[in-house]
Amino acid sequence: MQGCRPDDSIGIIQYAANDVFRIIKEEKSDGSDSECSVRVSYVEIYNEELRDLLSDGGHKSPTSLVIREDKRGSISVEGLREVPVNSLDELMDAFRAGEANKSVGSTKMNDRSSRSHAI
């Protein structure tokens, strides 16, 4: 999702984010009165628990998160931190901070194998 090597290939996350920020920039340059903001969250599912990978405590003291659904069917995660980002670089900085908080362990094939799923 994030590419194989940072020096010569990018993944779908970067391609999608590039498009989002390009469209926002085009809207602003066209003189549009619309306002837009981009916020990013990063959640890990580990041992059937949700962990906020962008919380100040990070992996060491996971925040207890609860999934909620409102009457209209909208799903939200209560207590999840949302970080405002204004560029691909800021988004990737947040992504790397979250990656540092992910649960990992070694296997016979990989020293830093992911022990969770992340959204």
Side-chain angles (χ1 to χ4, degrees):
M1 294 291 181
Q2 57 183 320
C4 298
R5 294 181 300 265
D7 58 337
D8 64 357
S9 63
I10 64 173
I12 194 167
I13 293 169
Q14 291 93 330
Y15 278 117
N18 270 330
D19 282 348
V20 167
F21 291 114
R22 179 185 50 78
I23 291 167
I24 291 170
K25 185 177 180 180
E26 287 172 3
E27 286 287 318
K28 286 181 181 178
S29 67
D30 288 344
S32 173
D33 289 339
S34 62
E35 292 185 28
C36 184
S37 65
V38 178
R39 296 176 294 179
V40 63
S41 298
Y42 202 4
V43 178
E44 173 182 58
I45 304 168
Y46 178 72
N47 285 337
E48 299 182 25
E49 290 183 4
L50 297 177
R51 297 178 185 207
D52 186 346
L53 294 176
L54 298 179
S55 70
D56 293 331
H59 172 69
K60 294 169 182 55
S61 58
T63 306
S64 177
L65 301 174
V66 178
I67 298 175
R68 300 273 187 223
E69 182 176 4
D70 67 17
K71 293 178 182 178
R72 296 175 300 174
S74 295
I75 306 294
S76 64
V77 180
E78 215 172 80
L80 183 62
R81 181 172 183 214
E82 293 181 339
V83 177
V85 293
N86 296 302
S87 67
L88 177 61
D89 288 337
E90 287 182 13
L91 182 137
M92 295 311 296
D93 286 344
F95 187 79
R96 282 188 283 278
E99 285 289 299
N101 290 324
K102 280 179 75 176
S103 300
V104 295
S106 63
T107 66
K108 290 181 183 179
M109 298 293 287
N110 188 344
D111 286 340
R112 286 192 42 87
S113 176
S114 176
R115 295 310 205 202
S116 64
H117 298 280
I119 303 170

